[in-house]
Amino acid sequence: MRASLICLVHHHGKNFVHSPAVHYHITLMNTLKRCLATISRLWQWPPAPTLSLSTQVLKCDPSSISFDADGVPLIKSSETLAAIRTASRHLVEDLQTVAFPTETVYGLGALALDASASARIFATKGRPPDNPLIVHISSQYMLLSLLPAGYTIPSAYRVLIEHFWPGPLTLLFPRDPAKIPSIITAGQPTVAIRMPSHPVARALIAISGSPLAAPSANSSGKPSPTRAEHVLRDLGGKLGLILDGGFCDVGLESTVVDGLHEDGSIRVLRPGGVPVEDIERVLQQNFNQGAVPKVLVHRRDFLDEDIEQAPTTPGMKYRHYSPSVPVKLLRTISKPPPGVEVITPLDLLDSLKRSMTSCKSLKVGLMTPSDSSIVEGLVNDAEIQWHQYVLGSSAEPAVTAQRLFDGLLTLEKAGVDIILIEEVSEDREGLAIMNRVKKAAGEAYWITMSA
Ligand code: TXA
Ligand code: MG
């Protein structure tokens, strides 16, 4: 019985990986299915309203999914198999959006090669149309099918793909306008592509037999969701289906890299799940086509006027990662800019109390590393109702990364009036953490422990 549950999932996934000829056949079948679905939708006039859908949440067990050497998913749990098949039908036959777990954050997916399906992503999230989407793939073959004919993948990319895919690294490639709809790239000449490592994400893409465009599954401007319940609270009623695969291990979005410049440098447009130090190390150890490419981090190592103006650098142009309550950054490591006042925890408490507009006690969310030195000086004050959310220790930035968005969303749900987050050092995942925190925080206080 148990053996019978070990299904070779769906012929799509299997054949897709094996042979381009069969891939063509499957693409044709999917196109036919979509045409039939469109015809049947036309009969159902007037169309069902898209805003007040009842949102189904289907559980998936990531540990029940494995992949063979060709990337074909094998799914042992019948519940998980049924959930992923249902999601695939939503995507392929109904051209709907589906939220699914990735190792970074939950994504809001739709068929990447269908402009009308991808348009639903923008509508569901309230995303500005000039902010391009990442295309998610499940195999190297799928990558090749998206690139311009005859395109040679740069050597540095080959090294990065070998070491970090599947995983939280997004690479920019030239866009072939005949293959990638312009809605995906917001008219950019490049397309961002990544192969997620989360078994549910990879299996969903393989079974759907098509790349999925997927931004983080949050309303535009909000923190990214790392649990299915975050998606449900934010977008419930606006999409039909959420696959619940538990919490996301990485907790922050992928690192977005542009290696297409003539100087051969690797430009990190958005720090993320793959630390810059790891990219540097892997290139140092494995790049053997001449000088090892430099790794440059946007705003730390280079500035580009075009990037500042266009929304191509994630989170540059638009408000980002902000819960509905104000967030303040407590600077405890970096030096204050000249002329900026440095305050003690006591001064901070006074300032918080002055901001109390009624006699009801202020609820303050406090996110600090587990070994923070400022907590005691704050939470002993009984006039304030403290809600603590502990991040990782200073030595474990990956734990803080994993907990950051969950902390913001948990404290928001708890109804706090304000959230204070303590600074972490910008090493490894710390670079991505501070990138998000600076964007989420409206204001920073420089704190000193010496009175
Ligand atoms: O980990 C992730 O990357 C998650 C999961 C779901 O995969 N996705 C994600 O997508 O964070 P999103 O849309 O929230 O952020 C992707 C960012 C966008 O802000 C966009 O500016 C940037 O990637 N991007 C997409 N295409 C680009 C392009 N052609 N050039 C430059 N930046 C691009
Ligand atoms: Mg996002």
Side-chain angles (χ1 to χ4, degrees), residues 8-314:
L8 261 189
V9 240
H10 221 268
H11 56 285
H12 290 186
K14 183 171 177 62
N15 291 337
F16 175 85
V17 177
H18 279 311
S19 128
V22 182
H23 169 57
Y24 173 76
H25 171 74
I26 285 164
T27 311
L28 197 69
M29 289 299 289
N30 281 343
T31 310
L32 275 174
K33 275 188 194 170
R34 280 207 296 277
C35 289
L36 286 172
T38 308
I39 292 166
S40 79
R41 266 198 307 278
L42 286 176
W43 282 110
Q44 294 162 10
W45 189 260
T50 47
L51 282 181
S52 75
L53 298 166
S54 80
T55 304
Q56 244 188 313
V57 180
L58 298 180
K59 288 251 183 238
C60 291
D61 174 7
S63 71
S64 74
I65 306 173
S66 58
F67 295 86
D68 73 11
D70 294 322
V72 178
L74 304 167
I75 303 181
K76 288 185 191 167
S77 146
S78 53
E79 189 190 17
T80 302
L81 177 62
I84 294 181
R85 279 187 168 159
T86 303
S88 172
R89 277 197 299 276
H90 267 66
L91 292 164
V92 175
E93 291 171 27
D94 304 336
L95 301 184
Q96 290 295 334
T97 57
V98 166
F100 61 93
T102 82
E103 71 282 17
T104 57
V105 299
Y106 273 72
L108 181 69
L111 292 191
L113 304 185
D114 187 298
S116 65
S118 298
R120 289 184 194 253
I121 292 176
F122 289 86
T124 307
K125 274 182 65 98
R127 184 180 179 99
D130 57 357
N131 200 359
L133 302 175
I134 295 174
V135 175
H136 296 67
I137 55 170
S138 61
S139 68
Q140 298 264 352
Y141 175 70
M142 215 179 252
L143 170 68
L144 298 181
S145 74
L146 295 176
L147 300 180
Y151 177 71
T152 307
I153 297 177
S155 313
Y157 273 13
R158 287 193 178 280
V159 172
L160 297 179
I161 288 172
E162 167 80 18
H163 286 81
F164 297 115
W165 275 12
L169 178 73
T170 296
L171 299 172
L172 298 198
F173 288 94
R175 166 188 175 229
D176 181 343
K179 294 177 178 168
I180 314 282
S182 64
I183 189 169
I184 296 291
T185 58
Q188 299 294 323
T190 53
V191 55
I193 301 182
R194 98 171 179 97
M195 190 192 293
S197 62
H198 196 291
V200 173
R202 249 182 110 192
L204 178 63
I205 300 164
I207 288 174
S208 300
S210 166
L212 297 181
S216 48
N218 51 279
S219 308
S220 234
K222 294 285 174 202
S224 301
T226 55
R227 296 175 188 275
E229 70 202 57
H230 297 157
V231 183
L232 187 62
R233 206 163 62 235
D234 184 359
L235 295 179
K238 294 186 180 170
L239 80 171
L241 182 61
I242 301 171
L243 293 181
D244 180 354
F247 66 87
C248 303
D249 280 341
V250 176
L252 289 179
E253 304 88 341
S254 60
T255 306
V256 179
V257 158
D258 176 359
L260 300 178
H261 288 256
E262 282 202 351
D263 63 5
S265 63
I266 291 295
R267 292 168 178 239
V268 176
L269 302 186
R270 174 178 73 180
V274 176
V276 169
E277 292 88 336
D278 289 357
I279 295 179
E280 282 168 339
R281 180 182 42 79
V282 158
L283 287 172
Q284 287 286 349
Q285 291 172 352
N286 301 283
F287 188 84
N288 49 21
Q289 305 285 314
V292 178
K294 282 199 184 121
V295 180
L296 306 172
V297 177
H298 179 246
R299 287 216 160 153
R300 188 187 77 178
D301 306 319
F302 75 98
L303 268 182
D304 184 327
E305 218 17 65
D306 286 348
I307 298 182
E308 299 299 322
Q309 296 310 319
T312 51
T313 307

Side-chain angles (χ1 to χ4, degrees), residues 329 331 334-343 443-448:
L329 169 58
R331 294 280 198 177
S334 52
K335 277 205 181 124
V340 167
E341 191 193 2
V342 180
I343 61 173
E443 223 181 328
Y445 296 108
W446 268 264
I447 310 288
T448 175

